[in-house]
Amino acid sequence: MSIQFADLARRVADDGQVSAEELFSLRQLGWGDGKIYREEAEAIFAINRALKQPSTEWVDFFVEAIGEFVLNGSEPRGMCSDDEARWLIGAIDDDGKVDSMAELELLVRVIERAQNVPEFFKDYVLRQVEREIMTGFGPTRCGGELSATHISAAECRILRRVIFASGGHGPAAVTRKDAELLFRLKDATLQDENSPLWDELFVDGVANYLKGFQLQNAQLSHERVKELESFVADNRARVGRFFGAMAREVPQARNHFGKVFGKNDKGQSYVEAAAAGNLVEDFEQEWLEKMIGADGEVDDLERALLARIIDEG
């Protein structure tokens, strides 16, 4: 870090304001040799903590500069290493929480831009959003005036960006962990007035996990590869009969688990009936049955999910 950059960063942090001219100078000095270094990144974080009212221009610079250091500060470029991920979490989480939309946007942008990021980093970001939704406090809540379990449009957009990001668990490849997060949020907010974006996000995310969709260049974990291989290896005819039977039952659902999944009134499961005595062993079917049956009834979002699965075959 140059002496000029250090001096300027110290002055800005001391007075808690950054002018357009100072921001321009920080950008010039920071990218003087085309690279952001650890000392510069730490100085930029110090400024961000000190600013009383960060401008849009500052947020753009903050996200761009720190993202450049995390993703391109070491080889291979475009990747976030374990050390870089731990540094970023430590810099943001020094007081135990994400304090601003700038910090949250930075976390999301790193996952979007990276080829892949460590598992613990993805988990950390999703925990921050889940905590904000469950508590009603955090940078997406404007001081927390919304109910503790209301899912806002901002949170829906952030969740979608993280879950489907290129550096997430795989581009457009939703994992079981992601899908279970969506179920937790659904169950906790079922009686609340959530954003209209939430219904579509829940159905898109869980259906994506069950369908096992992925892009050809997806960065998949070893666990996910095993899941997909197991699913593809399953007898598709048996799975098709199961979903066909489920389709016939969904229109008759009346908020009762047994009428859509699991056991019917005669004690025989629809899986058993559809498989003609040959029980379907697919792990995704068992998972979905467990998730839907957790509260003993089928809600509107679960009906929409089932309809999506059936419509897509």
Side-chain angles (χ1 to χ4, degrees), residues 49-263:
R49 296 188 192 102
L51 291 181
K52 299 177 178 66
Q53 292 183 319
S55 65
T56 300
E57 292 75 19
W58 167 260
V59 172
D60 289 343
F61 169 73
F62 173 75
V63 172
E64 183 181 1
I66 302 300
E68 174 68 19
F69 165 69
V70 171
L71 295 178
N72 297 320
S74 61
E75 296 297 334
R77 294 173 63 83
M79 299 289 290
C80 176
S81 69
D82 285 7
D83 287 343
E84 289 160 341
R86 290 191 181 94
W87 174 84
L88 181 54
I89 290 174
I92 287 178
D93 208 32
D94 61 341
D95 59 355
K97 62 182 185 300
V98 176
D99 286 320
S100 67
M101 280 300 293
E103 293 177 343
L104 189 56
E105 177 65 22
L106 169 61
L107 292 170
V108 175
R109 191 76 64 84
V110 166
I111 294 180
E112 285 182 318
R113 290 179 55 198
Q115 295 182 41
N116 203 2
V117 299
E119 186 85 6
F120 66 85
F121 185 81
K122 306 166 194 174
D123 294 343
Y124 171 80
V125 176
L126 288 174
R127 279 199 310 273
Q128 304 312 305
V129 182
E130 182 176 11
R131 180 170 60 183
E132 290 179 19
I133 292 172
M134 294 302 192
T135 65
F137 289 92
T140 65
R141 289 309 178 101
C142 300
E145 73 274 13
L146 302 179
S147 67
T149 53
H150 176 113
I151 305 179
S152 70
E155 287 154 348
C156 288
R157 294 188 185 98
I158 289 169
L159 283 169
R160 182 178 288 277
R161 289 170 65 191
V162 174
I163 289 173
F164 290 94
S166 63
H169 293 99
V174 179
T175 65
R176 178 180 295 191
K177 185 181 297 184
D178 296 330
E180 289 177 352
L181 165 64
L182 294 175
F183 261 102
R184 284 197 305 274
L185 296 177
K186 174 192 70 68
D187 291 341
T189 64
L190 205 54
Q191 305 304 317
D192 292 292
E193 187 178 348
N194 294 321
S195 165
L197 299 177
W198 166 245
D199 290 9
E200 184 178 8
L201 172 59
F202 173 79
V203 174
D204 285 351
V206 180
N208 182 290
Y209 165 65
L210 292 167
K211 301 293 286 186
F213 173 76
Q214 60 169 304
L215 298 178
Q216 290 184 350
N217 63 343
Q219 299 294 323
L220 300 175
S221 68
H222 183 259
E223 178 184 3
R224 180 57 172 162
V225 170
K226 289 175 63 178
E227 287 182 353
L228 291 173
E229 289 177 347
S230 175
F231 183 76
V232 171
D234 193 81
N235 185 315
R236 290 186 179 274
R238 289 184 297 152
V239 175
R241 286 198 297 274
F242 163 72
F243 283 122
M246 183 176 67
R248 291 191 294 273
E249 294 299 327
V250 170
Q252 304 172 18
R254 290 298 183 270
N255 288 327
H256 191 277
F257 172 75
K259 293 185 179 181
V260 176
F261 255 111
K263 301 293 182 178

Side-chain angles (χ1 to χ4, degrees), residues 267-289:
Q268 183 185 37
S269 74
Y270 290 113
V271 173
E272 292 166 342
N278 185 11
L279 184 64
V280 176
E281 295 292 339
D282 180 70
F283 75 97
E284 288 164 324
Q285 169 210 316
E286 295 173 355
W287 175 85
L288 184 58
E289 182 174 346

Side-chain angles (χ1 to χ4, degrees), residues 22-44:
E22 288 170 330
L23 183 55
F24 180 74
S25 296
L26 285 170
R27 186 178 289 275
Q28 278 193 316
L29 293 169
W31 267 283
D33 60 356
K35 186 176 181 179
I36 298 291
Y37 294 91
R38 171 74 63 90
E39 294 83 0
E40 293 169 336
E42 289 173 347
I44 292 169

